């Protein structure tokens, strides 16, 4: 574990996302108790932790869906914690919704175009649609098919694709591999890897801790609304505490493919 994330000046620019002392909750119930987290430009940060520890709550607060009670959220060097959800999307921070949020009665292409709701440049939107189809050729084959007819993995591709249609600087993924078969999980992780390669930063909530640590540069482990452990992913994967609590043994060789 290192403190290098915040202090490493070698990358030479402000982080993509910087969260300091963030608290929030529902009604009078406080869920997050002063969360600090940084995502460097062009990197993947993983947010890991057990059920009900506040991971989705943090993403909602970052997206503007929940008010930030206290603390600071800076995105691309500007404070965003008082902005509305649509303003945050326009700044380039996009939360990929859960797979169940695809509109079943709309076609694949219609669903994807919804993701471009903040944009009026039709040529750019058409180009980005083709770009999404290069990430997900299956969606291209099914572009005129109703989303209700897609498999679970294809719906997950659809919601990630829809997020990319906003041309984000950074995406936030809430358990993109949930309830998917291992082969499909690999393909989703490989695509997240490709998305990073295009310069988009990523904050990824995952239950699939081993795979997330292989993919991400940096990781945070949250418990009871507080960051408990943070560090370079390659260090955490070897950390005895992390191994004991989350990994249950050694790293599976099959997972290595994604970072090859
Ligand atoms: N709309 C809500 N109203 C009241 N409490 C909520 C609401 N949504 C979540 N909570 C509570 O906030 C806490 C954190 O929930 P959250 O959804 O952030 O957890 P999580 O880390 O994403 O868990 P999981 O891994 O199960 O998705 C939980 O105790 C949950 O019951
Ligand atoms: Mg959650």
């Amino acid at each position: 574990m290192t403190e290098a994330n915040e202090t490493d000046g070698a990358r030479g620019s402000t982080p993509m996302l910087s969260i300091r002392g963030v608290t929030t909750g529902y009604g009078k119930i406080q869920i997050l108790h002063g969360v600090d987290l940084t995502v460097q430009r062009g990197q993947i940060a993983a947010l890991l932790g057990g059920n009900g520890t506040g991971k989705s709550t943090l993403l909602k607060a970052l997206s503007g869906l929940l008010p930030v009670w206290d603390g600071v959220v800076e995105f691309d060097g500007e404070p965003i914690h008082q902005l509305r959800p649509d303003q945050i999307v326009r700044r380039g921070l996009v939360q990929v919704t859960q797979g169940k949020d695809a509109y079943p009665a709309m076609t694949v292409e219609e669903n994807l175009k919804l993701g471009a709701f903040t944009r009026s440049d039709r040529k750019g939107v058409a180009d980005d649609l083709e770009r999404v189809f290069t990430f997900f050729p299956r969606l291209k084959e099914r572009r005129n098919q109703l989303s209700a007819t897609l498999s679970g993995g294809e719906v997950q591709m659809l919601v990630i694709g829809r997020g990319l249609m906003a041309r984000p600087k950074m995406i936030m993924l809430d358990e993109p591999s949930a309830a998917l078969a291992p082969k499909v999980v690999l393909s989703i992780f490989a695509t997240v890897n490709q998305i990073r390669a295009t310069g988009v930063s990523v904050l990824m909530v995952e239950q699939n801790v081993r795979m997330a640590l292989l993919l991400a540069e940096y990781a945070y482990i949250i418990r009871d609304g507080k960051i408990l452990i943070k560090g370079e992913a390659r260090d955490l994967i070897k950390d005895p505490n992390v191994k004991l609590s989350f990994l249950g043994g050694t790293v599976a060789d099959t997972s290595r493919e994604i970072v090859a």
Side-chain angles (χ1 to χ4, degrees), residues 114 145 189 212:
L114 279 183
Q145 201 168 310
F189 272 65

Side-chain angles (χ1 to χ4, degrees), residues 186-239:
L186 265 184
S187 118
I188 296 283
F189 272 65
T191 308
V192 174
N193 200 21
Q194 284 178 299
I195 291 168
R196 165 179 53 190
T198 66
V200 176
S201 312
V202 179
L203 177 60
M204 184 184 217
V205 170
E206 258 302 325
Q207 297 276 357
N208 203 328
V209 172
R210 188 176 283 117
M211 297 256 294
L213 288 177
L214 283 168
L215 186 65
E217 278 89 2
Y218 211 83
Y220 295 85
I221 297 177
I222 187 171
R223 184 186 289 171
D224 297 335
K226 288 193 199 108
I227 301 297
L228 189 69
I229 298 174
K230 64 175 180 175
E232 302 278 344
R234 61 170 172 260
D235 295 333
L236 292 191
I237 211 160
K238 291 180 286 190
D239 186 281

Side-chain angles (χ1 to χ4, degrees), residues 162-178:
R162 194 167 63 189
L164 294 176
M165 290 300 291
R167 206 176 269 191
K169 294 175 185 158
M170 177 171 158
I171 55 170
M172 300 189 287
L173 299 160
D174 198 348
E175 300 191 24
S177 74

Side-chain angles (χ1 to χ4, degrees), residues 55-65 88-89 92-98 101 159-160 162-164 166 168 170-175 203 205:
K55 304 181 300 294
S56 298
T57 300
L58 179 61
L59 295 197
K60 280 187 246 173
L62 298 174
S63 307
L65 299 170
I88 292 172
V89 170
L93 178 59
V94 169
Q95 179 170 3
V96 170
T97 53
Q98 302 267 343
D101 293 335
V159 292
I160 295 175
R162 194 167 63 189
L164 294 176
M170 177 171 158
I171 55 170
M172 300 189 287
L173 299 160
D174 198 348
E175 300 191 24
L203 177 60
V205 170

Side-chain angles (χ1 to χ4, degrees), residues 17-241:
L17 182 74
S18 171
I19 307 169
R20 297 188 297 277
V22 163
T23 68
T24 189
Y26 303 94
K28 287 185 180 158
I29 303 170
Q30 186 169 349
I31 303 293
L32 300 184
H33 300 271
V35 171
D36 297 333
L37 185 151
T38 303
V39 183
Q40 300 294 349
R41 288 168 194 269
Q43 293 200 351
I44 299 176
L47 177 61
L48 313 169
N51 292 122
T53 50
K55 304 181 300 294
S56 298
T57 300
L58 179 61
L59 295 197
K60 280 187 246 173
L62 298 174
S63 307
L65 299 170
L66 265 182
V68 172
W69 293 356
D70 206 357
V72 177
V73 180
E74 280 175 358
F75 179 68
D76 205 7
E78 305 278 339
I80 59 160
H81 51 275
Q82 288 173 334
L83 300 184
R84 294 189 312 263
D86 63 299
Q87 293 173 315
I88 292 172
V89 170
R90 279 174 221 275
R91 296 285 178 99
L93 178 59
V94 169
Q95 179 170 3
V96 170
T97 53
Q98 302 267 343
K100 60 182 178 341
D101 293 335
Y103 293 97
M106 294 173 75
T107 66
V108 166
E109 185 168 331
E110 286 165 345
N111 258 294
L112 287 173
K113 284 184 173 165
L114 279 183
F117 76 99
T118 56
R119 302 172 53 187
S120 51
D121 56 324
R122 291 181 67 171
K123 170 77 173 73
V125 171
D127 290 347
D128 283 355
L129 189 63
E130 288 310 314
R131 200 166 64 99
V132 167
F133 287 148
T134 62
F135 283 129
F136 302 113
R138 264 165 183 262
L139 294 183
K140 185 166 191 173
E141 290 163 24
R142 291 160 175 74
R143 68 194 291 170
N144 298 316
Q145 201 168 310
L146 289 184
S147 302
T149 63
L150 298 179
S151 72
E154 289 162 355
V155 172
Q156 192 56 49
M157 292 171 195
L158 179 62
V159 292
I160 295 175
R162 194 167 63 189
L164 294 176
M165 290 300 291
R167 206 176 269 191
K169 294 175 185 158
M170 177 171 158
I171 55 170
M172 300 189 287
L173 299 160
D174 198 348
E175 300 191 24
S177 74
L180 299 180
K183 227 175 145 180
V184 185
V185 172
L186 265 184
S187 118
I188 296 283
F189 272 65
T191 308
V192 174
N193 200 21
Q194 284 178 299
I195 291 168
R196 165 179 53 190
T198 66
V200 176
S201 312
V202 179
L203 177 60
M204 184 184 217
V205 170
E206 258 302 325
Q207 297 276 357
N208 203 328
V209 172
R210 188 176 283 117
M211 297 256 294
L213 288 177
L214 283 168
L215 186 65
E217 278 89 2
Y218 211 83
Y220 295 85
I221 297 177
I222 187 171
R223 184 186 289 171
D224 297 335
K226 288 193 199 108
I227 301 297
L228 189 69
I229 298 174
K230 64 175 180 175
E232 302 278 344
R234 61 170 172 260
D235 295 333
L236 292 191
I237 211 160
K238 291 180 286 190
D239 186 281
N241 292 323

